[in-house]
Amino acid sequence: MAKLVSKTYGEALFDLALEENTVDQITEEVNVLLSVLASNEELTKLFTHPKVLKQEKINVIENVFKGRFSDTIVGFLVLIMQKGRYEEINAIFEYYLNRVREHRNIGVAHVTSAIELNKEQRAKIEEKLLATTKYQQFEMNYTVDKSIIGGLIVRIGDRVVDSSIKNQLKNMTKALV
């Protein structure tokens, strides 16, 4: 259910930004808003408190955000509050940001290796991903996991390429049994 909500509202915000030709501005505001909400627990407590009336929450949104954010974002926050969907605000904004990346042909890659990769190795991996995918650019996320022993695990969206030694040993074990 939460995925459906985030998709519906995130898609609506993306369509509105596209229609108004304000994708860059809205994306910047969404990023700022996400960091503001993450760093301000009091605001989140207020917006999620069941005893605070919706109208009071809407008044707070208008008083705090009007003038600092575009009317589109303020109106969107008011709509989310009116519909009782504030709990899904992070998922909605993440869906929106992913939709913007998709629109701009930017992929998000998560690369796991057994050791820290140097700049040259990272550049080669990104170059290979650009050559083998539809994306024109990548946001690269690197992590180190010594338990994979060697090789790489590359995840782009829901696709995973696991060339780790740990996975190869697991596959060999299955084949032998």
Side-chain angles (χ1 to χ4, degrees), residues 13 16-18 20-33 65 67-74 93 96-97 100 104:
L13 181 60
L16 183 62
L18 213 56
E20 294 178 346
N21 201 22
T22 57
V23 173
D24 291 336
Q25 177 190 352
I26 299 296
T27 301
E28 185 177 319
E29 290 181 3
V30 163
N31 283 318
V32 170
L33 197 53
F65 297 118
R68 292 183 175 95
F69 291 92
S70 67
D71 291 342
T72 302
I73 287 293
V74 174
F93 284 155
Y96 168 81
L97 293 172
V100 169
R104 293 182 175 157

Side-chain angles (χ1 to χ4, degrees), residues 8-65:
T8 303
Y9 285 90
E11 194 69 41
L13 181 60
F14 177 74
D15 289 343
L16 183 62
L18 213 56
E19 183 180 307
E20 294 178 346
N21 201 22
T22 57
V23 173
D24 291 336
Q25 177 190 352
I26 299 296
T27 301
E28 185 177 319
E29 290 181 3
V30 163
N31 283 318
V32 170
L33 197 53
L34 279 171
S35 68
V36 165
L37 294 175
S39 65
N40 195 332
E41 290 179 30
E42 298 299 317
L43 200 56
T44 301
K45 284 180 186 176
L46 173 73
F47 289 153
T48 57
H49 200 285
K51 292 191 178 181
V52 177
L53 298 174
K54 278 185 186 178
Q55 190 55 49
E56 291 176 20
K57 294 175 185 179
I58 290 168
N59 291 341
V60 169
I61 288 172
E62 290 174 343
N63 291 334
V64 171
F65 297 118

Side-chain angles (χ1 to χ4, degrees), residues 3 45 57 69-70 84 101 104 113 117 127 135 142 151 158 174-175:
K3 263 190 167 181
K45 284 180 186 176
K57 294 175 185 179
F69 291 92
S70 67
R101 284 186 202 101
R104 293 182 175 157
S113 61
L117 300 173
E127 185 180 305
Y135 299 110
Y142 294 95
D158 60 354
K174 281 184 187 176

Side-chain angles (χ1 to χ4, degrees), residues 127-177:
E127 185 180 305
K128 183 73 171 173
L129 290 175
L130 287 170
T132 58
T133 64
K134 66 178 181 173
Y135 299 110
Q136 296 173 347
Q137 186 181 344
F138 270 100
E139 288 180 15
M140 302 296 290
N141 299 295
Y142 294 95
T143 55
V144 175
D145 181 1
K146 293 178 192 268
S147 73
I148 68 169
I149 306 168
L152 296 173
I153 301 172
V154 180
R155 183 172 56 87
I156 302 171
D158 60 354
R159 293 177 42 207
V160 177
V161 176
D162 189 344
S163 64
S164 66
I165 293 176
K166 178 180 180 179
N167 187 50
Q168 291 174 15
L169 289 171
K170 186 175 94 179
N171 290 340
M172 287 172 58
T173 304
K174 281 184 187 176
L176 290 172
V177 171

